[in-house]
């Protein structure tokens, strides 16, 4: 069974509640940004916050979607379920800091497949905003 956007948000929210934080609210603009990032990664077949082909920086995608204020981005690749993705982010200080930052109240996520030279991988994008 494929991982869904809703499962990922639920797993992140479970972690936030355990840390004494409010749950993320899903946000249409952040969701638009996450899905645009996934499409860009699928088209250019890269694995990075910034597009190495066009040179576009990760945050420009967020602002193109109409998001204002501070933002952050978490990526994951090769995971099969949302709890493992969130566990991986918790194990990474930078990703954990984004997910558990009380400044961020909203989230948009995208989950999909990207065809890389070494094969197809599940890619997860989480865009966080105020």
């Amino acid at each position: 069974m494929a991982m869904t956007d809703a499962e990922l948000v639920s797993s992140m929210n479970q972690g936030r509640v355990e840390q004494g934080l409010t749950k993320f609210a899903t946000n249409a603009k952040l969701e638009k940004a996450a899905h645009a990032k996934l499409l860009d990664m699928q088209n250019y077949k890269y694995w990075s916050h910034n597009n190495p082909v066009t040179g576009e920086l990760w945050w420009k995608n967020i602002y193109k979607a109409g998001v204002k204020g501070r933002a952050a981005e978490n990526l994951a690749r090769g995971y099969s379920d949302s709890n493992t993705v969130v566990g991986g982010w918790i194990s990474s200080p930078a990703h954990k800091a984004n997910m558990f930052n009380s400044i961020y109240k909203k989230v948009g996520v995208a989950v999909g497949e990207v065809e890389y030279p070494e094969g197809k991988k599940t890619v997860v994008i989480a865009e966080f905003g105020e």
Side-chain angles (χ1 to χ4, degrees), residues 52-65:
V53 178
T54 66
E56 182 157 299
L57 302 175
W58 71 270
W59 56 267
K60 287 190 176 183
N61 180 53
I62 292 174
Y63 291 113
K64 282 182 189 176

Side-chain angles (χ1 to χ4, degrees), residues 104-118:
Y104 302 127
K105 308 278 190 226
K106 302 172 188 172
V107 69
V109 300
V111 178
E113 301 293 322
V114 176
E115 186 68 49
Y116 293 102
E118 68 273 15

